[in-house]
Amino acid sequence: NQMVSAVDATWEPNTNNWKGGFIIQAPGSKECCVDIPAAKLENAKKGLQTWECHQEWKETKKSQGFWYKNGEIHPTQKGDWCLDALGASRKKGEEAINSKVGLHPCNGQTNQKFVIRPYINSKAYGSIMAEDFGLCVDRHLTLQKCSQ
């Protein structure tokens, strides 16, 4: 029930092509990806959405592309924005359950620190965990208890 990241082997930020860029897919679906509403970062301050995955990187980069560095997940559209557990900066552990996940300008707070936990047999797929809360992003784009 957790969101899945699909990345290439380098995991390094490079927003010109797929080298380091990745999409975040809904579990059990190759058709639905995490998406910035109307490709406008300001809209993502209220939360992200799932939408049909784009087939071309030039389209994906605008609203569905992400990159990861130093515990932060950034949209390929703009590197000074971060994935954010909205409203959870003062919460601890399970208090953050049901917090929506969106984007916000990077601020270094704990609600913007995420870990991509790879599956045992794959370096390219894994769940996304809000590190300080020990909670994972689920298919509804909220923080929930992580499943194994």
Side-chain angles (χ1 to χ4, degrees), residues 92-104:
K92 302 286 184 212
E94 291 187 7
E95 291 175 359
I97 287 176
N98 294 321
S99 294
K100 279 185 167 185
V101 175
L103 294 172
H104 205 271

Side-chain angles (χ1 to χ4, degrees), residues 35 39 54-65 76:
D35 186 269
H54 299 305
Q55 300 302 311
E56 298 289 331
W57 178 243
K58 66 182 178 181
E59 293 301 317
T60 300
K61 183 178 175 181
K62 295 176 191 173
S63 64
Q64 296 179 352
T76 53

Side-chain angles (χ1 to χ4, degrees), residues 13-46:
N14 176 342
T15 58
N16 295 323
N17 55 40
W18 277 108
K19 292 189 185 332
F22 63 93
I23 57 174
I24 305 172
Q25 293 178 301
S29 171
K30 292 185 178 179
E31 288 110 27
C32 289
C33 289
V34 171
D35 186 269
I36 299 168
K40 295 184 188 308
L41 291 171
E42 285 295 322
N43 293 347
K45 284 183 169 181
K46 296 178 182 175

